[in-house]
Amino acid sequence: MWLFPIGDTNVENGHRPIFARSLLFINIAVFIYQYSLGDTGFRHAINTYGLIPVEFVHGQDWFTAWTSMFMHAGWMHLIGNMFFLYVFADNIEARVGTLRFILFYFLGGLAAAVGQTLFNVESMIPMVGASGSISACLGAYLVLFPKNKVKLLLIVFVVNVPAFLFLGFWTLQQFMAGYGSLVQTQDTGGVAYFAHIGGLVLGVIAGFVFRKMRRTYIVR
Protein backbone atom coordinates (compact mmCIF):
# COMPACT_ATOMS: atom_id res chain seq x y z
CA MET A 1 0.00 0.00 0.00
CA TRP A 2 1.39 3.39 -0.97
CA LEU A 3 0.04 5.00 2.22
CA PHE A 4 1.67 3.58 5.33
CA PRO A 5 0.29 4.12 8.90
CA ILE A 6 2.81 5.43 11.42
CA GLY A 7 0.58 6.75 14.22
CA ASP A 8 -2.92 7.53 15.39
CA THR A 9 -5.03 9.20 18.06
CA ASN A 10 -4.22 7.45 21.33
CA VAL A 11 -6.63 6.45 24.07
CA GLU A 12 -6.17 8.15 27.42
CA ASN A 13 -7.43 6.92 30.81
CA GLY A 14 -7.97 3.45 29.41
CA HIS A 15 -6.28 0.15 30.23
CA ARG A 16 -2.54 -0.03 29.68
CA PRO A 17 -1.79 -1.84 26.40
CA ILE A 18 0.61 -4.30 28.04
CA PHE A 19 -0.09 -7.25 25.77
CA ALA A 20 -0.27 -5.18 22.58
CA ARG A 21 3.19 -3.79 23.26
CA SER A 22 4.53 -7.19 24.33
CA LEU A 23 3.41 -8.67 21.01
CA LEU A 24 5.88 -6.43 19.21
CA PHE A 25 8.82 -7.87 21.14
CA ILE A 26 7.50 -11.45 20.93
CA ASN A 27 7.11 -11.34 17.14
CA ILE A 28 10.51 -9.73 16.65
CA ALA A 29 12.19 -12.23 19.00
CA VAL A 30 10.59 -15.19 17.20
CA PHE A 31 11.72 -13.89 13.82
CA ILE A 32 15.27 -13.30 15.03
CA TYR A 33 15.29 -16.90 16.26
CA GLN A 34 13.96 -18.09 12.88
CA TYR A 35 16.66 -16.09 11.12
CA SER A 36 19.38 -17.54 13.36
CA LEU A 37 18.51 -21.06 12.15
CA GLY A 38 19.94 -20.44 8.68
CA ASP A 39 18.12 -20.98 5.39
CA THR A 40 17.36 -24.66 5.94
CA GLY A 41 16.26 -24.20 9.54
CA PHE A 42 14.19 -21.15 8.59
CA ARG A 43 12.25 -23.13 5.96
CA HIS A 44 11.85 -26.07 8.34
CA ALA A 45 10.38 -23.79 11.01
CA ILE A 46 7.92 -22.30 8.49
CA ASN A 47 6.82 -25.78 7.38
CA THR A 48 6.50 -27.03 10.96
CA TYR A 49 4.79 -24.09 12.66
CA GLY A 50 3.05 -22.45 9.71
CA LEU A 51 -0.55 -23.36 9.02
CA ILE A 52 -0.97 -25.70 6.04
CA PRO A 53 -4.64 -25.57 4.94
CA VAL A 54 -4.89 -29.12 3.59
CA GLU A 55 -3.62 -30.47 6.92
CA PHE A 56 -5.68 -28.09 9.04
CA VAL A 57 -8.94 -28.98 7.29
CA HIS A 58 -8.29 -32.65 8.05
CA GLY A 59 -7.73 -31.97 11.74
CA GLN A 60 -3.94 -32.17 11.67
CA ASP A 61 -1.65 -29.78 13.52
CA TRP A 62 -4.39 -27.48 14.76
CA PHE A 63 -1.83 -25.80 17.03
CA THR A 64 -0.43 -24.08 13.93
CA ALA A 65 -3.50 -21.82 13.89
CA TRP A 66 -1.75 -20.01 16.73
CA THR A 67 1.95 -20.70 16.23
CA SER A 68 1.71 -19.40 12.66
CA MET A 69 0.65 -15.96 13.87
CA PHE A 70 4.04 -15.43 15.54
CA MET A 71 6.11 -16.31 12.47
CA HIS A 72 7.00 -14.23 9.41
CA ALA A 73 8.38 -15.00 5.99
CA GLY A 74 10.90 -12.15 5.81
CA TRP A 75 12.03 -8.82 7.23
CA MET A 76 9.59 -6.72 5.18
CA HIS A 77 6.72 -9.01 6.13
CA LEU A 78 7.63 -8.55 9.81
CA ILE A 79 8.18 -4.79 9.61
CA GLY A 80 4.90 -4.14 7.80
CA ASN A 81 2.89 -6.19 10.28
CA MET A 82 4.61 -4.64 13.29
CA PHE A 83 3.78 -1.11 12.13
CA PHE A 84 0.10 -1.98 11.80
CA LEU A 85 0.19 -3.76 15.16
CA TYR A 86 1.92 -0.80 16.82
CA VAL A 87 -0.53 1.75 15.46
CA PHE A 88 -3.87 0.01 15.92
CA ALA A 89 -3.71 -2.73 18.58
CA ASP A 90 -2.97 -0.56 21.63
CA ASN A 91 -6.26 1.36 21.40
CA ILE A 92 -8.23 -1.88 21.31
CA GLU A 93 -6.55 -3.17 24.46
CA ALA A 94 -6.92 0.23 26.11
CA ARG A 95 -10.64 0.10 25.35
CA VAL A 96 -11.45 -3.48 26.39
CA GLY A 97 -8.74 -4.47 28.88
CA THR A 98 -5.84 -6.90 28.67
CA LEU A 99 -7.63 -10.20 29.30
CA ARG A 100 -10.38 -9.47 26.76
CA PHE A 101 -7.79 -8.28 24.27
CA ILE A 102 -5.72 -11.47 24.62
CA LEU A 103 -8.80 -13.61 23.94
CA PHE A 104 -9.80 -11.35 21.06
CA TYR A 105 -6.34 -11.42 19.50
CA PHE A 106 -6.10 -15.21 19.49
CA LEU A 107 -9.67 -15.59 18.22
CA GLY A 108 -8.67 -13.25 15.40
CA GLY A 109 -5.82 -15.60 14.54
CA LEU A 110 -8.19 -18.56 14.54
CA ALA A 111 -10.71 -16.72 12.35
CA ALA A 112 -7.88 -15.93 9.93
CA ALA A 113 -6.86 -19.60 9.81
CA VAL A 114 -10.43 -20.67 9.11
CA GLY A 115 -10.90 -17.98 6.47
CA GLN A 116 -7.77 -18.93 4.56
CA THR A 117 -8.49 -22.64 4.84
CA LEU A 118 -12.07 -22.38 3.57
CA PHE A 119 -10.90 -20.88 0.29
CA ASN A 120 -7.71 -22.93 -0.06
CA VAL A 121 -8.67 -26.36 1.25
CA GLU A 122 -6.16 -28.21 -0.93
CA SER A 123 -3.24 -25.84 -0.46
CA MET A 124 0.01 -27.21 0.92
CA ILE A 125 1.61 -23.77 1.19
CA PRO A 126 2.27 -22.77 4.84
CA MET A 127 0.55 -19.61 6.02
CA VAL A 128 2.50 -17.46 8.48
CA GLY A 129 2.22 -13.98 9.89
CA ALA A 130 0.41 -11.89 12.47
CA SER A 131 -1.74 -10.15 9.85
CA GLY A 132 -4.85 -12.23 10.58
CA SER A 133 -4.97 -11.13 14.21
CA ILE A 134 -3.93 -7.62 13.21
CA SER A 135 -6.79 -7.56 10.70
CA ALA A 136 -9.13 -8.35 13.60
CA CYS A 137 -7.70 -5.30 15.38
CA LEU A 138 -8.34 -3.19 12.28
CA GLY A 139 -11.94 -4.40 12.08
CA ALA A 140 -12.59 -3.59 15.73
CA TYR A 141 -10.82 -0.23 15.37
CA LEU A 142 -13.04 0.67 12.42
CA VAL A 143 -16.12 0.15 14.61
CA LEU A 144 -14.79 1.66 17.85
CA PHE A 145 -12.73 4.60 16.60
CA PRO A 146 -13.95 5.54 13.10
CA LYS A 147 -13.22 9.25 13.57
CA ASN A 148 -9.75 8.87 15.05
CA LYS A 149 -7.00 10.48 13.04
CA VAL A 150 -4.48 8.09 11.48
CA LYS A 151 -1.05 9.42 10.51
CA LEU A 152 -0.02 8.11 7.12
CA LEU A 153 3.41 8.33 5.56
CA LEU A 154 3.17 9.38 1.92
CA ILE A 155 6.71 9.14 0.50
CA VAL A 156 8.28 11.86 2.70
CA PHE A 157 5.07 13.59 3.81
CA VAL A 158 2.80 12.81 6.75
CA VAL A 159 -0.94 13.21 6.28
CA ASN A 160 -3.76 12.77 8.78
CA VAL A 161 -6.98 11.10 7.69
CA PRO A 162 -10.01 9.74 9.57
CA ALA A 163 -9.65 6.07 10.43
CA PHE A 164 -12.81 5.14 8.57
CA LEU A 165 -11.33 6.39 5.29
CA PHE A 166 -8.04 4.56 5.59
CA LEU A 167 -9.50 1.36 7.03
CA GLY A 168 -12.45 1.48 4.65
CA PHE A 169 -10.05 1.62 1.72
CA TRP A 170 -7.92 -1.15 3.24
CA THR A 171 -11.02 -3.32 3.71
CA LEU A 172 -12.12 -2.77 0.11
CA GLN A 173 -8.63 -3.65 -1.07
CA GLN A 174 -8.70 -6.98 0.81
CA PHE A 175 -12.05 -8.04 -0.64
CA MET A 176 -11.08 -7.02 -4.16
CA ALA A 177 -7.75 -8.85 -3.94
CA GLY A 178 -9.45 -11.89 -2.43
CA TYR A 179 -11.98 -11.96 -5.26
CA GLY A 180 -9.18 -11.51 -7.78
CA SER A 181 -7.38 -14.52 -6.36
CA LEU A 182 -10.52 -16.64 -6.68
CA VAL A 183 -11.09 -15.80 -10.33
CA GLN A 184 -7.32 -15.79 -10.95
CA THR A 185 -7.28 -12.33 -12.43
CA GLN A 186 -4.28 -11.26 -10.36
CA ASP A 187 -1.22 -12.58 -8.60
CA THR A 188 -1.61 -12.23 -4.83
CA GLY A 189 2.15 -12.23 -4.32
CA GLY A 190 1.80 -14.89 -1.65
CA VAL A 191 -0.51 -12.73 0.48
CA ALA A 192 -3.22 -14.66 2.36
CA TYR A 193 -6.08 -12.25 1.69
CA PHE A 194 -8.75 -14.59 3.03
CA ALA A 195 -6.86 -14.75 6.32
CA HIS A 196 -7.10 -10.96 6.41
CA ILE A 197 -10.81 -11.12 5.62
CA GLY A 198 -11.45 -13.79 8.25
CA GLY A 199 -9.72 -11.73 10.92
CA LEU A 200 -11.42 -8.55 9.75
CA VAL A 201 -14.92 -10.03 9.97
CA LEU A 202 -14.24 -11.33 13.47
CA GLY A 203 -12.89 -7.91 14.44
CA VAL A 204 -15.94 -6.03 13.17
CA ILE A 205 -18.30 -8.35 15.06
CA ALA A 206 -16.21 -8.02 18.22
CA GLY A 207 -16.11 -4.25 17.75
CA PHE A 208 -19.89 -4.01 18.00
CA VAL A 209 -19.79 -6.16 21.14
CA PHE A 210 -17.04 -4.01 22.66
CA ARG A 211 -18.91 -0.83 21.78
CA LYS A 212 -21.67 -1.79 24.20
CA MET A 213 -19.20 -1.81 27.05
CA ARG A 214 -18.97 1.19 29.35
CA ARG A 215 -16.61 3.83 28.01
CA THR A 216 -14.00 4.91 30.53
CA TYR A 217 -11.56 6.76 28.31
CA ILE A 218 -10.95 9.86 26.26
CA VAL A 219 -8.86 10.21 23.12
CA ARG A 220 -6.21 12.69 22.15
Side-chain angles (χ1 to χ4, degrees), residues 11 21 38 40 55 84 102 130 133 138 154 157 169 216:
V11 166
R21 289 292 179 253
T40 301
E55 295 180 355
F84 272 80
I102 291 173
S133 293
L138 301 186
L154 175 59
F157 302 99
F169 174 75
T216 58

Side-chain angles (χ1 to χ4, degrees), residues 22-150:
S22 298
L23 285 168
L24 295 169
F25 295 102
I26 293 171
N27 278 280
I28 292 170
V30 169
F31 183 78
I32 290 174
Y33 174 71
Q34 286 179 247
Y35 195 78
S36 72
L37 298 174
D39 291 342
T40 301
F42 189 98
R43 289 193 297 270
H44 177 72
I46 293 289
N47 289 323
T48 302
Y49 298 106
L51 184 140
I52 300 175
V54 71
E55 295 180 355
F56 185 74
V57 79
H58 287 100
Q60 301 174 20
D61 297 334
W62 279 23
F63 69 91
T64 60
W66 291 280
T67 57
S68 61
M69 71 177 70
F70 293 102
M71 308 189 72
H72 290 83
W75 284 107
M76 294 308 297
H77 186 205
L78 174 72
I79 292 169
N81 275 348
M82 291 305 97
F83 263 101
F84 272 80
L85 180 65
Y86 171 77
V87 172
F88 295 104
D90 58 340
N91 274 8
I92 307 301
E93 184 175 358
R95 174 71 169 85
V96 306
T98 298
L99 293 179
R100 290 191 184 95
F101 178 75
I102 291 173
L103 177 62
F104 163 74
Y105 187 85
F106 285 111
L107 284 176
L110 178 60
V114 171
Q116 185 66 11
T117 299
L118 285 176
F119 290 92
N120 297 271
V121 293
E122 297 181 356
S123 175
M124 297 183 66
I125 301 174
M127 182 187 78
V128 295
S131 54
S133 293
I134 295 170
S135 296
C137 293
L138 301 186
Y141 195 105
L142 181 60
V143 175
L144 294 173
F145 309 106
K147 296 181 180 179
N148 272 19
K149 297 296 184 182
V150 178

Side-chain angles (χ1 to χ4, degrees), residues 7-9 148-153 157-163 165:
D8 71 330
T9 305
N148 272 19
K149 297 296 184 182
V150 178
K151 297 179 181 179
L152 302 176
L153 180 64
F157 302 99
V158 175
V159 296
N160 293 282
V161 301
L165 285 180

